[in-house]
Amino acid sequence: MNQADVSKLVSKLNIKVNPRLRKFRSPQGPEGRLDKLRKTVTALFKHERIELNYPRADEARMYAERLISDAIRYGDCHKSTMEMADYWLVEKQIVHKLFKVLVPRFQDYGISYTKLYRAPKRPIPEDQYEKAVLELRGNPYPPLLHGTHNNKNLIHNILLEEAKKAYRAKKCAEIAAKIDAVEEKTKSDKPVDHCTQ
Amino acid sequence: MINTTKNFVKLKTFKVFNFRNVYRSCSTEASLNNTNEEENATQEGFKKSFAEYRHIYPEFLPDPEVKLRNVIREKLERKDMIARRSQIAIPEFYVGSILSVTTSDPHSPGKSETFVGICIKREGCGLRAKFILRNVIDHEGIEVLYEMYDPTIQKIKVLRLEKRLDDELLYLRDALPEYSTFDPNMEPELLVEGAPVPVNSLKVKLKPRPWVDRWERKNLQGVQDIDLPERFWVKAAKVATPWEKYDLMKIYKKTIPAEEQRKYTMKSNHNCKS
């Protein structure tokens, strides 16, 4: 039975947290593991969408979420948060991006700040590792998945389709009524013509 | 946002257990006060004050180890803890505070036993919360481990409320005895209501080796310069893990997130009212 550490106050992450952290074998030991993750987190914040091996993406995602949530909770005037950002972001201009771009973007998000997709393996026999795409939400690129707004089974699409049908039926009825009216007119005119002849 | 407002309103309408006022003054009886403090506080301030309770009642937070979590057991434990706290006052104290604990003892003449000492460790959560008191009596170091919610405890009194520079004071076992000697007939020292808990920046002097632990590797703040041969420091630098403080997920797994903490505080408050 352990007592929770109360010296730090953290925000709850809106992603699934793995019960065990991955080890990422490295000649530098556990420090090398963090170095690898640092590179990935920096690249994610820089490019906003990256493709990489699945385990590293899944692990780096948790660290990226923690970094953003701390930046939102404490801001750039908090010493230990700034130290943490300085450690995790290898390129120092990304620290500015974190506090000036990403924090305002994610401030009111009630959901996760990142998205993780599984990507197909590369078609070469040497690299048969699981691949993934990791991206920040609200990035400027076109969406990876097809939007669901074209799905004909969605309720609003069904309703729109019915409304269209009804509108078409109404228009057809109007046109038919017009044609009928014209025909009746011609019919009623015909006997008059016959008389004049 | 909607949820928090709801909780706020719910609390406002009920009587509130104001632990801080009750226990700082070290009174023997817990009482329910209906204060206007919470009513006047803004919602933001209210949230903040709840976050501060984690320092006073760390054992109310559940175990950070996910494997050991059980929601129903935690709920029942919180209920029992509140019930116990309505019987005896368990005051606010920290590692480094000096406490006097009176327990029932069928073999002692007055059927009760009092021990005064400095709290050197707090551990465990829920009903298994424990603390260790240390004192030197007749030139011999004595340590007693008390279970906080043990029904044989009759009275817990804080004689001096203060913190030290470290989270654990186990190194007092290897310090000179004068640093863990306290008068058993000490008078309680009173603090001004609402004042922050003072931090005692005392640096203790360790006895020469052998020790119970390798204190030179622990990065202790409350210890005077340790006099050791060079090889100890070389080894200490070799096994040090300075990167661990940057491991955000390790930190996350050792704590309970703020949103969850708030939930538990609310729940225990609700239990004590009903």
Side-chain angles (χ1 to χ4, degrees):
Chain A
M1 276 291 157
N2 321 295
Q3 204 165 70
D5 179 13
V6 291
S7 61
K8 293 186 183 72
L9 198 60
V10 302
S11 304
K12 193 174 168 59
L13 296 187
N14 290 314
I15 55 168
K16 187 175 162 281
V17 174
N18 297 333
R20 243 182 303 160
L21 298 175
R22 290 185 179 84
K23 281 191 175 161
F24 295 124
R25 249 173 291 171
S26 155
Q28 281 82 35
E31 198 180 4
R33 166 184 180 271
L34 285 188
D35 278 341
K36 285 179 176 181
L37 291 169
R38 267 160 82 183
K39 277 182 208 163
T40 312
V41 171
T42 309
L44 172 67
F45 283 12
K46 187 179 180 186
H47 303 292
E48 306 218 356
R49 177 183 288 168
I50 51 175
E51 186 180 345
L52 67 170
N53 288 355
Y54 184 81
R56 178 94 77 94
D58 191 30
E59 202 78 354
R61 186 188 188 197
M62 296 192 290
Y63 286 90
E65 292 264 345
R66 275 284 284 124
L67 200 54
I68 297 173
S69 71
D70 265 10
I72 291 172
R73 174 171 278 274
Y74 292 111
D76 53 355
C77 297
H78 191 247
K79 199 181 158 213
S80 62
T81 306
M82 204 50 165
E83 264 175 25
M84 208 58 103
D86 186 41
Y87 176 83
W88 276 97
L89 302 171
V90 183
E91 292 172 37
K92 297 306 161 204
Q93 64 270 36
I94 306 295
V95 179
H96 290 272
K97 184 178 177 183
L98 171 64
F99 288 104
K100 290 174 190 165
V101 179
L102 299 183
V103 167
R105 188 199 288 177
F106 293 130
Q107 224 154 24
D108 304 323
Y109 269 46
I111 49 171
S112 64
Y113 313 124
T114 56
K115 259 185 155 185
L116 182 69
Y117 302 101
R118 282 188 182 270
K121 288 173 187 169
R122 286 171 69 193
I124 50 170
E126 300 91 64
D127 187 3
Q128 282 300 303
Y129 297 110
E130 298 252 324
K131 296 282 170 187
V133 173
L134 182 59
E135 65 172 21
L136 291 178
R137 279 184 199 266
N139 60 35
Y141 310 118
L144 281 179
L145 300 181
H146 294 296
T148 48
H149 56 276
N150 285 333
N151 191 337
K152 67 172 182 182
N153 292 329
L154 287 176
I155 181 68
H156 56 262
N157 284 343
I158 292 172
L159 291 175
L160 279 173
E161 197 56 43
E162 289 305 313
K164 257 188 222 168
K165 269 184 200 166
Y167 179 75
R168 267 195 219 114
K170 197 178 147 196
K171 278 284 164 195
C172 286
E174 268 175 27
I175 292 163
K178 256 184 206 169
I179 291 167
D180 283 349
V182 172
E183 270 181 6
E184 256 176 45
K185 213 178 178 185
T186 47
K187 261 183 200 171
S188 58
D189 286 350
K190 258 180 190 175
V192 178
D193 287 350
H194 184 72
C195 286
T196 50
Q197 272 178 357
Chain B
M1 230 22 187
I2 296 159
N3 197 16
T4 54
T5 331
K6 220 168 113 189
N7 280 332
F8 183 59
V9 171
K10 206 197 280 173
L11 254 176
K12 238 169 66 173
T13 51
F14 280 90
K15 276 186 172 180
V16 175
F17 221 154
N18 197 335
F19 291 113
R20 206 177 176 104
N21 287 349
V22 174
Y23 295 124
R24 249 286 165 91
S25 53
C26 306
S27 68
T28 46
E29 284 169 31
S31 61
L32 283 166
N33 330 1
N34 193 5
T35 54
N36 293 329
E37 268 178 33
E38 270 77 10
E39 285 174 15
N40 298 337
T42 58
Q43 205 172 352
E44 229 16 69
F46 188 71
K47 258 190 207 169
K48 213 172 255 177
S49 71
F50 260 103
E52 289 311 308
Y53 278 125
R54 72 187 194 276
H55 297 289
I56 309 175
Y57 310 110
E59 77 274 6
F60 271 88
L61 295 180
D63 200 306
E65 179 69 54
V66 182
K67 267 191 286 183
L68 303 176
R69 296 286 298 270
N70 183 325
V71 179
I72 296 171
R73 192 207 58 206
E74 282 162 14
K75 194 176 172 184
L76 293 173
E77 278 190 3
R78 274 197 296 273
K79 209 175 162 188
D80 283 356
M81 286 154 79
I82 295 285
R84 181 65 187 150
R85 276 177 183 268
S86 66
Q87 295 302 313
I88 70 156
I90 301 177
E92 168 191 359
F93 69 93
Y94 302 93
V95 169
S97 301
I98 296 163
L99 270 70
S100 134
V101 178
T102 309
T103 48
S104 306
D105 183 5
H107 306 298
S108 69
K111 300 283 184 197
S112 70
E113 192 78 62
T114 303
F115 186 77
V116 172
I118 182 168
C119 176
I120 59 169
K121 193 179 182 182
R122 276 185 86 158
E123 59 181 349
C125 58
L127 281 177
R128 286 164 305 289
K130 301 172 195 103
F131 59 93
I132 303 176
L133 294 191
R134 179 180 170 83
N135 202 347
V136 174
I137 294 162
D138 293 341
H139 307 291
E140 187 163 10
I142 307 281
E143 281 181 18
V144 185
L145 187 147
Y146 290 104
E147 298 227 7
M148 218 187 246
Y149 294 92
D150 184 355
T152 61
I153 290 183
Q154 292 173 353
K155 197 177 186 181
I156 302 178
K157 217 169 155 187
V158 175
L159 304 180
R160 187 189 294 160
L161 183 68
E162 65 178 16
K163 293 177 186 175
R164 290 287 187 94
L165 297 173
D166 296 299
D167 296 336
E168 280 180 8
L169 300 179
L170 294 178
Y171 56 78
L172 286 181
R173 291 167 178 173
D174 288 319
L176 295 175
E178 70 220 47
Y179 292 108
S180 36
T181 310
F182 299 97
D183 179 16
N185 304 317
M186 213 174 128
E187 283 298 309
E189 294 170 12
L190 291 177
L191 267 179
V192 182
E193 182 68 50
V197 180
V199 180
N200 187 350
S201 54
L202 176 74
K203 293 205 176 239
V204 306
K205 191 163 171 51
L206 296 186
K207 287 189 283 195
R209 289 181 75 240
W211 296 329
V212 294
D213 208 340
R214 292 175 167 125
W215 300 121
E216 78 275 10
R217 296 184 187 180
K218 305 275 174 181
N219 191 25
L220 299 174
Q221 300 301 309
V223 169
Q224 283 178 26
D225 294 335
I226 303 172
D227 186 27
L228 278 179
E230 182 62 26
R231 63 192 164 94
F232 285 92
W233 297 110
V234 171
K235 184 68 183 166
K238 217 175 190 178
V239 296
T241 53
W243 58 84
E244 230 164 50
K245 64 173 184 279
Y246 296 115
D247 198 326
L248 285 166
M249 284 317 292
K250 261 190 189 164
I251 295 170
Y252 186 77
K253 279 168 185 282
K254 276 182 198 155
T255 61
I256 299 293
E259 288 82 353
E260 255 183 79
Q261 282 189 23
R262 204 173 139 61
K263 211 169 73 190
Y264 293 121
T265 336
M266 286 296 179
K267 272 184 187 163
S268 44
N269 254 293
H270 191 71
N271 283 345
C272 87
K273 273 169 275 157
S274 56

